[in-house]
Amino acid sequence: MKRWHKAAIGTLALAGVLAGAAWVWRTDLTLALIRWRTTQEIAPNQPIPWQAGPAEAAAPVAERPPNIVFILFDDLGINDISTFGGGIAGGRVKTPNIDRLAAEGAIFTQAYAGNATCSPSRAQLMTGRYATRTGFEFTPTPAGFARVVSMVSADLLPDRPPVIYDAAAEASAPPFDGQGLPGEEVTIAEVLQGQGYHTVHIGKWHLGNAAPFHPIAQGFDESLNMDGLLHLPEDHPDVVNAKLDFDPIDRFFWASGHFATSYNARPKFAPGGYLADYWTDESLKVIEANRNRPFFLYLAHWGVHSPLQATRADFEAVGNITPHRARVYAAMIRALDRSVGRIMAKLAAEGLADNTLVVISSDNGAPGYVGIEGANAPYRGGKGTFFEGGIRVPLFARWPARIAPGSRIALPVGQVDVMPTFAAVAGAPLPAGVTIDGRNLLPALTGKGAPERADAPLFWSSGYYKAVRAGDWKLQVNARQNKVWLHNLAADPTEQTNLAAREPAKRAELEALIAAHHRGRKPPLYPSTFETPVEIDKTMAQPFDPRGEWLYWPN
């Protein structure tokens, strides 16, 4: 080989190494800058001055309006729990407390999240209204998030379709804390507050932290709000971390995350322990403080959302699960299950269990970007898709005074139904002059009366990506990529066979439903700032296969 040829090859190889090093350098520098810019002063932990109810009850528990406890998990896949016969790590890690709650009450076997990402689902849960009425269509993200994720994705994942960043849209968006649920929307907390309930929020809110959007401006008497991204400090002696080097979002979270909370919009301080345990500790105090009056407790856990962090005790308890991230993930689920058990035990200890409605659910399916295989099994897709794996979620309800144990309800229902159902449970009227899209599920839960949801379709939307379920049929339309999926869920519950070409009449019928649903809609409150590629049948930990099915998700 000629000397110049060898030199050229060496130069090209060196250029490739330097280019790779430059990408790593750019990513690391950017994340370091984010860490520096987001440094905050956070006060030490402090006791919460929870408001106490009357020393004596005005009436016996059975004669009072029922208490309502709503426990919402974050990014929990339907196969992360063992209720349906599965469970994380091939069923090795059980969720006995969640399973017991479900067995002692009702299981909705076809329950759906309001959306395939966090905040739009939460807006539906609070209001009983679709994003077409509220405008709350996209998940709020902090300044720079979309730009950094797109840049880090290009550096770390060059073989995948690019994350598309819209700088102009981000520049036009309100500040992160101002991306909130408008004050004119009426929340279930406001409805229950008007009915004499003491209303308490603990945990994640993600519907705006500025004063007009904060929980205490949206019907909650008290709020212990999540103000950071970490479950424990990264260097805490009792924490086990699992960093996901393949996930740009995870990289951003570790760079910008804090361990912080706040009470009633006061200055931030450090939580008193691992978030799932700390928020449960405080929930028990709320139950005790309000045992003599009707209360609504909304406990919105951050688990199992990344960053993946578990206590060392839970990490050891789940055993030798591989890979490391799966073991940490399993340990986080163990903590959530323990939380449910402690809540149930406290209600029983205070003599409140029989006349308390406890509901548990998740805001969407598990995301592929955490690299946990089988979390949404047997369904396809995950967070960021309207395939069943992205929106099929647990929805269990226990109320011994009214709901028969072992109830299984096959009726397709959505989280948009939660608000009017809680109102009916409390005997509260729905807000006057407000169109509520959700349906009252109390007749289905108690077996008394005709279910209101029976013939009503369910809708989902995120920008150009829309879906509807009507009866057994479900249609998804991604207009950006001109992709359409049509499935008969009665015959094909895991969406293996796309019937869009074979069933043109059914496709047209469902497309007409989507068009009617969006006709005259309220525009999104703020724009989509980035579009991310999501694989349907693989996690981000696996190599991208261009022959496989994938879509763009706008947010």
Side-chain angles (χ1 to χ4, degrees):
M1 185 181 292
K2 293 183 179 180
R3 186 174 300 171
W4 68 265
H5 195 183
K6 291 181 180 179
I9 292 175
T11 301
L12 288 172
L14 178 61
V17 170
L18 291 175
W23 289 343
V24 172
W25 175 83
R26 183 177 75 157
T27 292
D28 289 346
L29 181 62
T30 300
L31 295 174
L33 180 62
I34 289 169
R35 185 180 291 274
W36 175 74
R37 291 184 62 184
T38 57
T39 300
Q40 298 180 13
E41 289 294 328
I42 298 169
N45 179 250
Q46 55 192 4
I48 309 298
W50 295 114
Q51 301 171 27
E56 296 183 5
V61 173
E63 298 175 14
R64 300 202 305 254
N67 306 305
I68 301 174
V69 176
F70 181 38
I71 303 173
L72 184 66
F73 304 127
D74 199 320
D75 285 2
L76 184 82
I78 201 163
N79 196 45
D80 285 336
I81 57 177
S82 50
T83 312
F84 296 104
I88 192 67
R92 286 174 55 187
V93 179
K94 304 296 183 184
T95 50
N97 294 299
I98 294 172
D99 297 352
R100 180 170 66 87
L101 182 147
E104 293 177 354
I107 298 173
F108 286 98
T109 60
Q110 298 188 82
Y112 289 94
N115 202 287
T117 57
C118 312
S119 299
S121 285
R122 295 163 193 270
Q124 275 193 34
L125 284 163
M126 287 293 106
T127 65
R129 284 156 58 87
Y130 287 118
T132 47
R133 296 195 195 278
T134 66
F136 205 103
E137 185 139 333
F138 304 117
T139 291
T141 56
F145 176 85
R147 177 177 56 82
V148 170
V149 167
S150 66
M151 185 196 74
V152 174
S153 180
D155 290 352
L156 297 180
L157 307 168
D159 295 332
R160 292 179 179 269
V163 173
I164 300 171
Y165 168 56
D166 189 333
E170 184 169 52
S172 70
F176 175 59
D177 285 351
Q179 297 175 30
L181 184 69
E184 61 264 25
E185 296 292 338
V186 182
T187 70
I188 183 58
E190 291 172 294
V191 170
L192 294 176
Q193 197 177 53
Q195 197 70 4
Y197 278 68
H198 186 73
T199 55
V200 180
H201 158 257
I202 293 179
K204 181 176 176 177
W205 178 242
H206 212 173
L207 297 175
N209 280 338
F213 314 116
H214 194 275
I216 58 174
Q218 299 276 23
F220 286 98
D221 295 304
E222 301 180 90
S223 171
L224 181 61
N225 194 25
M226 172 181 166
D227 271 308
L229 293 170
L230 300 181
H231 300 267
L232 266 179
E234 182 180 346
D235 58 355
H236 193 282
D238 295 329
V239 74
V240 179
N241 304 312
K243 295 187 177 182
L244 311 175
D245 290 339
F246 52 80
D247 176 24
I249 294 176
D250 192 70
R251 300 286 291 269
F252 182 91
F253 281 175
W254 284 108
S256 63
H258 302 284
F259 185 58
T261 190
S262 62
Y263 172 72
N264 282 9
R266 298 172 190 172
K268 299 177 183 180
F269 59 90
Y274 183 71
L275 281 187
D277 293 327
Y278 170 64
W279 285 340
T280 304
D281 292 341
E282 297 303 325
S283 294
L284 304 189
K285 296 174 186 177
V286 167
I287 292 170
E288 183 170 341
N290 293 281
R291 64 189 180 278
N292 291 325
R293 62 179 173 184
F295 64 85
F296 170 48
L297 170 61
Y298 172 35
L299 171 57
H301 278 295
W302 179 223
V304 284
H305 201 295
S306 58
L308 301 186
Q309 296 181 285
T311 64
R312 194 166 300 280
D314 285 331
F315 181 79
E316 296 298 334
V318 298
N320 186 22
I321 296 169
T322 56
H324 176 74
R325 63 178 179 272
R327 184 172 178 178
V328 174
Y329 188 87
M332 296 173 75
I333 290 170
R334 186 174 189 267
L336 295 179
D337 184 70
R338 177 171 61 248
S339 173
V340 171
R342 294 179 65 201
I343 295 289
M344 299 299 294
K346 182 63 174 177
L347 291 170
E350 297 293 343
L352 303 174
D354 283 351
N355 200 32
T356 298
L357 170 66
V358 182
V359 175
I360 62 177
S361 193
S362 176
D363 60 350
N364 46 252
Y369 58 71
V370 295
I372 304 296
E373 295 184 40
N376 301 310
Y379 304 110
R380 299 180 67 199
K383 180 179 181 179
T385 83
F386 293 140
F387 281 83
E388 294 289 280
I391 53 177
R392 183 78 78 95
V393 293
L395 183 61
F396 310 146
R398 182 187 187 274
W399 183 12
R402 296 288 301 279
I403 299 173
S407 299
R408 294 180 74 88
I409 304 167
L411 183 71
V413 300
Q415 289 178 344
V416 72
D417 301 320
V418 168
M419 184 270 201
T421 301
F422 284 179
V425 166
L430 293 176
V434 178
T435 300
I436 301 298
D437 294 305
R439 307 299 175 94
N440 173 19
L441 301 180
L442 189 56
L445 285 167
T446 61
K448 297 179 181 178
E452 293 184 14
R453 165 57 65 193
D455 299 316
L458 291 163
F459 295 95
W460 299 268
S461 62
S462 187
Y464 50 72
Y465 183 23
K466 301 174 176 66
V468 61
R469 174 168 178 172
D472 291 327
W473 289 88
K474 180 175 152 200
L475 180 75
Q476 303 178 66
V477 179
N478 188 307
R480 186 190 192 282
Q481 297 167 276
N482 196 29
K483 292 185 176 182
V484 179
W485 299 270
L486 176 68
H487 296 96
N488 182 333
L489 297 178
D492 182 20
T494 59
E495 299 172 299
Q496 302 296 321
T497 305
N498 187 357
L499 301 176
R502 286 190 240 168
E503 298 280 354
K506 180 58 70 173
R507 171 180 169 176
E509 175 190 333
L510 269 60
E511 285 178 333
L513 285 177
I514 290 176
H517 179 69
H518 284 264
R519 194 171 296 125
R521 64 156 295 166
K522 182 174 181 177
L525 296 169
Y526 42 87
S528 164
T529 59
F530 69 108
E531 303 165 61
T532 186
V534 182
E535 289 186 88
I536 307 304
D537 299 308
K538 301 180 76 173
T539 75
M540 192 176 280
Q542 299 168 290
F544 177 75
D545 183 355
R547 298 166 300 177
E549 196 143 40
W550 64 278
L551 56 80
Y552 268 114
W553 173 266
N555 188 79

